[in-house]
Amino acid sequence: GAVVSQHPSRVICKSGTSVKIECRSLDFQATTMFWYRQFPKQSLMLMATSNEGSKATYEQGVEKDKFLINHASLTLSTLTVTSAHPEDSSFYICSARRGRGDSPLHFGNGTRLTVT
Amino acid sequence: DAKTTQPNSMESNEEEPVHLPCNHSTISGTDYIHWYRQLPSQGPEYVIHGLTSNVNNRMASLAIAEDRKSSTLILHRATLRDAAVYYCILSVRETSGSRLTFGEGTQLTVNP
């Protein structure tokens, strides 16, 4: 089946530093990837849609200069949280679509970010 | 975005069928109905999706009402591993495909 790998699974960083999270589709090419954030006991919130070879589309209220998304190849998208603050501590989850249109999404196992 | 309404929680007994309801009265003609489930500290897992006709796969069945304003996810024999949050989501059609926005979901508890 379709596998999406996310790395790292957990990271602790100091306030003011930047953290990069990688999302890879291991056995398929993904023209579109999505980044979500989830706070404890809450649902997933869509942050942005990442399209290979073009700029990401951010959801309303998500700062594009703070959450940098790069989708340089059909199998890799990265999310960089710049100048992280404690309120950015969250569970970040990526997903990728195999195929187009309304094909199902395949999710990574998430990255637990803790900013101290 | 078209919204879905699900019960906050449901309980089931092991090896019994489970019917998880979802209302989506504002669904549009091109919106697909997707179901995902999420275990604690993991990413969501795809369960099933459909447009108009009922769908079956190895994990579950999806029954879609004739007017498409509601649907039901059916787990035929619940196991303890089926305990999770189940999300019913309508796809939002974009030019490059569709994106999925999650609601609150239903926390399913399976009793041994």
Side-chain angles (χ1 to χ4, degrees), chain A residues 32 34 36 38 42-44 46 49 51 59 91 93 97 100-105 107-109 112, chain B residues 30 32 34 36 38 41-46 49 87 91 93 96-104:
Chain A
T32 306
F34 302 87
Y36 292 83
Q38 186 174 32
Q42 294 187 22
S43 185
L44 284 77
L46 180 63
T49 302
N51 295 300
E59 295 297 306
F91 192 48
I93 309 168
R97 169 173 289 123
R100 291 195 173 271
D102 290 290
S103 303
L105 296 186
F107 286 81
N109 266 333
R112 175 78 56 196
Chain B
T30 56
Y32 277 75
H34 290 249
Y36 289 78
Q38 185 181 26
S41 298
Q42 292 188 26
E45 175 188 27
Y46 167 75
H49 78 297
Y87 295 99
S91 59
R93 182 60 68 87
S96 60
S98 62
R99 73 190 207 283
L100 302 181
T101 52
F102 283 69
E104 298 306 313

Side-chain angles (χ1 to χ4, degrees), chain B:
Chain B
D1 293 353
K3 282 193 68 172
T4 62
T5 305
Q6 299 177 254
N8 288 335
S9 62
M10 288 186 67
E11 265 190 62
S12 171
N13 295 320
E14 204 174 3
E15 299 192 3
E16 289 185 358
V18 182
H19 288 63
L20 296 163
C22 181
N23 287 321
H24 28 78
S25 58
T26 59
I27 191 170
S28 71
T30 56
D31 287 347
Y32 277 75
I33 303 157
H34 290 249
W35 284 83
Y36 289 78
R37 69 182 186 183
Q38 185 181 26
L39 295 167
S41 298
Q42 292 188 26
E45 175 188 27
Y46 167 75
V47 178
I48 201 166
H49 78 297
L51 184 62
T52 55
S53 304
N54 294 344
V55 185
N56 299 298
N57 66 22
R58 63 174 180 81
M59 287 181 73
S61 295
L62 176 59
I64 301 173
E66 206 167 314
D67 63 4
R68 301 208 328 124
K69 293 187 176 182
S70 65
S71 61
T72 303
L73 178 71
I74 303 164
L75 306 179
H76 295 287
R77 285 181 73 223
T79 70
L80 296 179
R81 287 177 297 180
D82 292 323
V85 178
Y86 285 78
Y87 295 99
C88 167
I89 308 160
L90 301 184
S91 59
V92 176
R93 182 60 68 87
E94 309 270 315
T95 52
S96 60
S98 62
R99 73 190 207 283
L100 302 181
T101 52
F102 283 69
E104 298 306 313
T106 296
Q107 173 70 64
L108 175 66
T109 301
V110 180
N111 300 313

Side-chain angles (χ1 to χ4, degrees), chain A residues 3-63:
Chain A
V3 178
V4 173
S5 173
Q6 197 171 331
H7 179 80
S9 57
R10 355 182 127 247
V11 58
I12 301 172
C13 72
K14 291 187 187 241
S15 195
T17 61
S18 296
V19 173
K20 181 187 281 189
I21 303 169
E22 291 188 349
C23 179
R24 293 181 186 273
S25 54
L26 296 186
D27 55 352
F28 66 99
Q29 293 184 329
T31 54
T32 306
M33 289 184 172
F34 302 87
W35 287 95
Y36 292 83
R37 180 168 58 179
Q38 186 174 32
F39 293 107
K41 298 195 186 302
Q42 294 187 22
S43 185
L44 284 77
M45 186 197 82
L46 180 63
M47 299 175 68
T49 302
S50 167
N51 295 300
E52 186 266 338
S54 64
K55 287 184 181 178
T57 304
Y58 289 82
E59 295 297 306
Q60 194 171 10
V62 177
E63 298 175 59

Side-chain angles (χ1 to χ4, degrees), chain A residues 64-116:
Chain A
K64 61 180 180 181
D65 294 331
K66 180 165 185 64
F67 298 100
L68 301 179
I69 291 172
N70 184 278
H71 194 155
S73 78
L74 286 171
T75 58
L76 174 65
S77 175
T78 60
L79 167 68
T80 302
V81 182
T82 62
S83 187
H85 290 285
E87 56 265 31
D88 298 323
S89 298
S90 188
F91 192 48
Y92 292 87
I93 309 168
C94 73
S95 67
R97 169 173 289 123
R98 185 181 197 163
R100 291 195 173 271
D102 290 290
S103 303
L105 296 186
H106 301 278
F107 286 81
N109 266 333
T111 297
R112 175 78 56 196
L113 170 63
T114 304
V115 185
T116 60

